[in-house]
Structure formats: structure tokens, C-alpha cells
Amino acid sequence: MVLSKCGEEFELYAAKIAGKWKGRIFIFGAGIRGKELYRELSAYPAQIEMKFIDNDAGKIGTVYEDAEIISLAEYLQLNEADRGIIVIAIAQADAVAAVEEQLANCGLQHREYYFTDTEFQNEVFPIISLYCYDKSYVSLAQISLTERCTLKCKKCAHACYAVDIASDDMPLEEAYRSVDCFFSKVDFIGEFVLIGGEPLLYKELSKVITYIGDKYRKQIGLFTITTNGTIIPSEEVIRACSKANVMFRISNYSKAIPRLKISLDRLTAYLSKYGILYVLGKPDGEWKDYGFEYVNRKASSGELITVFDQCKTPCREMRGNRFYFCVMARTVSDNLRYHVGEDDYLDFDKLNGTEYKKELLKFNLGYSEKGYLDMCNFCHGAESINYPIPVAEQLI
Ligand code: SF4
Ligand code: SF4
């Protein structure tokens, strides 16, 4: 979106969202995703009242941590004043569609009464956080400590297949500087991700985890590491993870690479032994091809604004003083040496005015002077769902 269009219209939208806020949400779905959202927002520095709605009769009437689980019928019996935004937090797209139909049948309209968790975290709560609590909020951001990897996926969305296993990682001081810059402007982040490449290849990983945990853990909902499951972390890393309450998100590529089954079993057993939380991905499914290696839209700036606006990627990245809207755009451009969009970032060092939180909010919602990233010219963007590809197919 183009920044110049972001005036009165944005203020009206923000005022409408903030005006709806009653300090309370109803998370539809008391499963893995709903509970993650609950844990994220429980850590937020202002109290948010949360309840779950679920269709499972076995869950209704029970509690998760401090949150009651009620039925939709019970929600509908509440007075308007006792209701709140419903957030659908369910992973499977068909189950989300079924809940949307259920809500529509009860007269609850999308974006009036309910949002999906992606919409809530990326579009709605950043506004609520600033306008109702004066806190800058980012739903998810990553720091790529290394772009080396133990696998060579043909369609790695960060093009890590092009990175030599002997190449240099981010220096430790740069990792510290990146998180310091980020947290100097961001009051709270829903999920802070250590990523790669394969982040467990990073030699100073325990130091980075300890640094972030000691200085910034209170500003983080979920602190996670995304790993491909090929490496067993050292005891030092495990101790740091345990102290900083780090959760592992383990990709499951065992269908494409059967030998990984043994590593995944070993890793999950090891994490369980030390009481480290993890989520193991499902072996099925498919990836979508962004087409960075062959797409060249040769599009006008107007067309690229549309591509960018339809994409809405939630994957921000911090790197030194630079805050990138799209981690894929930055990594692919660097790793394939495209040198495209090298200025497409927000400079934390220049966010100094009294309105810096609003500037950050607008960037995070996708507003910029240009209205798109140069790499959008080389990407299928939202159309990538029409280009399904096998998961983790290897180059060698
Ligand atoms: S495991 Fe992940 S980071 Fe490594 S090459 Fe595959 S997709 Fe890329
Ligand atoms: S369309 Fe642009 S913002 Fe979206 S994934 Fe592609 S490069 Fe990133």
C-alpha cells in the first residue's frame, strides 16, 4: 500500500477497530493453534481477558489455564457488553471455513464480529496495541543467524541451497545489535523466531538465546527456533532454551527424506527428556512455489502494488538496523545475488520522531512510499497457491 493513501482513511479504520475493543477476545478453537495464541497474549504487558469457544462437547465446560471453554450457543447468550472479538484459531483451512459458515448462520459477520487469527495478529491487534495501550506490537519476526543448512531443498523459500556450507554466519555482535535495534522500537512481539538456514548450525546459538532471554523475554510471547530436525542441540543450547522458555518448531520432511524419521524421533525424545516444548510438523502436505528463480513480471509499479497488497506475508525479518517486510525477498535476493530491493527496509535508526510507533505500525501493515518491494516483480506472491510443489525435494 502506498503511504500517501494512508491518511484519513487509515485513521478512520484504526478508530473503528480501537472503538470495538473491550479488552477481551474469544478464541474459537481450543486446539494447538488456539492455545498458542492464548500463551502469546497472556504474556502481553496489559491484561487481555480470554475465553475459548469450541464445538467439542468434551472440551466445553472445562478450562485451559485460566480460560473457560464455552460453546457458541453460550457466547450468543451473552449481552453485547460481555462479548468481544472472536478470533478463529484453527490450522486446517476446511475447518476454518466450516466455523465461518457456522458464525455467518448466527448472524456474526466477518470483520465485524470475527477475524481469523492471521488477520487478528497481523492487522487488528497491532492497531489495538498502539491505539488502546500505546505499545508497538509485531506479530512475528525472525532473525536469520545463518543461511547455511544441512539440507538442500530445491525450492527453499530462502534460497539457502545456494549458500556454501563453509560460508560465514551472522557475527555474534551483529546478532546482538539486531535484537537491540528491534526491541528499542518494538514493545512486544507475538512470536520471535530464530531461523536459518538451519539455526542449530550457528556456533554461538546458546549465547544468542541467553542474551535475548535475559534482556527481552518479557517482550516476547512465544520464543521459538525453527529447525529441520537434522541436528541434536548441545546441552549448552538446551540449558539456554530451558531458561528462556524456548519452543522448537520442527519441520517434518520425513516423507521426502525417509532417513529423517530417525533424527526426528531422536530429537523429539531428547527435547521431551529435558522438558523443552516442541511442535512437530505433519509429514504430509505441499509447499507453494514463489517462483523466485524464474518469474519476471516486468510489471508496472501499479501492478506491483496490487501484487504486494494481495500477498500480505506475515514474515518480517530484523538484520542490524534494518527491518524487512518480507524475509523471503531479502534472503533470496542476497543468496542468489540478485541485488534487487536492497533499500526495501525500514531503518530502525531513523525511527526517532515522537510518532515513531505509528510509523512502525504503518510499515508493519504494509504501507510504504513505493507501495511494494522490488522483489515482488520476481515472485508469484498470493498466486503461489496455484503452484503447489512437493515438500523438501532435494537437489542432491
Ligand atoms: S531445510 Fe529449510 S532452510 Fe534448509 S534448505 Fe530446506 S527449506 Fe531451506
Ligand atoms: S509478493 Fe513480495 S512481499 Fe509477497 S512474498 Fe513475494 S516478494 Fe515477498
Side-chain angles (χ1 to χ4, degrees):
M1 286 170 277
V2 182
L3 200 53
S4 57
K5 287 195 182 161
C6 169
E8 205 177 327
E9 203 183 307
F10 174 80
E11 291 300 341
L12 284 173
Y13 176 67
K16 186 178 167 202
I17 293 283
K20 275 183 185 300
W21 183 241
K22 296 174 183 147
R24 177 184 312 123
I25 62 167
F26 289 79
I27 303 172
F28 204 124
I32 291 177
R33 195 134 162 186
K35 288 173 182 172
E36 280 184 2
L37 178 60
Y38 176 89
R39 294 211 312 276
E40 265 182 53
L41 292 180
S42 297
Y44 187 75
Q47 202 192 345
I48 293 167
E49 195 188 318
M50 287 181 273
K51 286 187 182 173
F52 287 94
I53 301 174
D54 207 286
N55 287 328
D56 182 343
K59 291 181 182 171
I60 295 165
T62 64
V63 291
Y64 173 71
E65 305 219 341
D66 285 338
E68 278 178 67
I69 304 177
I70 64 171
S71 65
L72 180 58
E74 287 171 288
Y75 173 86
L76 292 168
Q77 281 161 15
L78 295 172
N79 299 321
E80 194 60 39
D82 295 328
R83 291 189 182 179
I85 293 174
I86 295 177
V87 182
I88 305 175
I90 301 174
Q92 304 80 8
D94 52 348
V96 173
V99 168
E100 291 203 69
E101 197 181 330
Q102 190 183 2
L103 296 176
N105 288 340
C106 299
L108 302 173
Q109 298 107 18
H110 185 201
R111 292 190 168 274
E112 277 297 319
Y113 291 94
Y114 78 88
F115 295 88
T116 64
D117 59 343
T118 308
E119 290 162 349
F120 179 75
Q121 288 172 284
N122 294 321
E123 299 170 33
V124 176
F125 197 65
I127 292 174
I128 290 169
S129 182
L130 184 59
Y131 283 70
C132 302
Y133 301 107
D134 191 30
K135 298 203 182 301
S136 51
Y137 167 90
V138 169
S139 71
L140 182 144
Q142 320 183 339
I143 178 166
S144 182
L145 297 169
T146 173
E147 274 155 39
R148 298 180 297 128
C149 192
T150 47
L151 298 178
K152 263 202 187 312
C153 303
K154 210 185 257 182
K155 285 288 180 181
C156 173
H158 294 196
C160 293
Y161 53 78
V163 177
D164 193 293
I165 194 74
S167 59
D168 291 337
D169 294 337
M170 177 184 273
L172 184 61
E173 287 310 318
E174 183 66 353
Y176 290 165
R177 190 169 87 89
S178 302
V179 293
D180 287 342
C181 284
F182 180 80
F183 284 109
S184 70
K185 304 297 182 223
V186 176
D187 294 319
F188 190 79
I189 175 166
E191 180 166 349
F192 188 101
V193 190
L194 303 176
I195 201 163
E198 172 46 58
L200 290 171
L201 282 174
Y202 191 68
K203 289 195 180 58
E204 313 278 20
L205 185 59
S206 63
K207 289 187 183 148
V208 173
I209 294 168
T210 302
Y211 187 83
I212 297 169
D214 288 354
K215 281 187 87 168
Y216 301 115
R217 191 63 185 86
K218 286 196 175 127
Q219 288 168 252
I220 299 173
L222 300 179
F223 185 10
T224 63
I225 293 180
T226 299
T227 174
N228 62 22
T230 54
I231 296 179
I232 297 292
S234 67
E235 285 197 11
E236 217 179 354
V237 167
I238 287 293
R239 269 197 300 277
C241 288
S242 180
K243 187 166 171 236
N245 191 15
V246 171
M247 181 175 95
F248 279 61
R249 290 200 187 276
I250 310 170
S251 309
N252 189 338
Y253 301 149
S254 59
K255 203 166 164 193
I257 314 168
R259 68 182 156 82
L260 287 188
K261 176 89 181 60
I262 296 168
S263 330
L264 292 175
D265 288 347
R266 278 180 59 211
L267 177 60
T268 50
Y270 185 73
L271 295 175
S272 300
K273 179 176 151 194
Y274 288 99
I276 306 285
L277 274 180
Y278 66 84
V279 177
L280 176 62
K282 293 202 165 52
D284 300 316
E286 56 195 18
W287 279 356
K288 45 190 189 177
D289 184 5
Y290 288 92
F292 288 116
E293 303 88 355
Y294 59 87
V295 171
N296 188 350
R297 295 172 178 272
K298 297 192 173 71
S300 67
S301 54
E303 290 163 335
L304 290 175
I305 289 168
T306 306
V307 171
F308 178 78
D309 285 350
Q310 288 172 348
C311 171
K312 294 194 168 66
T313 178
C315 302
R316 313 282 174 267
E317 184 197 22
M318 70 202 72
R319 200 162 179 83
N321 57 309
R322 288 159 287 154
F323 190 41
Y324 291 96
F325 191 87
C326 172
V327 66
M328 292 177 290
R330 199 284 300 163
T331 50
V332 170
S333 175
D334 280 2
N335 293 338
L336 297 185
R337 295 182 171 73
Y338 281 5
H339 304 292
V340 169
E342 290 178 325
D343 298 328
D344 280 343
Y345 61 84
L346 183 75
D347 188 340
F348 283 127
D349 287 346
K350 291 187 180 155
L351 276 184
N352 290 321
T354 50
E355 292 281 282
Y356 81 87
K357 289 188 185 183
K358 203 176 267 188
E359 267 184 69
L360 178 61
L361 171 68
K362 287 176 178 174
F363 174 83
N364 198 30
L365 294 180
Y367 291 95
S368 66
E369 295 296 341
K370 206 163 62 182
Y372 62 91
L373 309 179
D374 290 348
M375 276 298 285
C376 300
N377 203 24
F378 303 94
C379 176
H380 285 311
E383 292 157 23
S384 58
I385 52 165
N386 300 323
Y387 299 86
I389 44 170
V391 172
E393 205 178 334
Q394 297 297 290
L395 272 172
I396 45 171

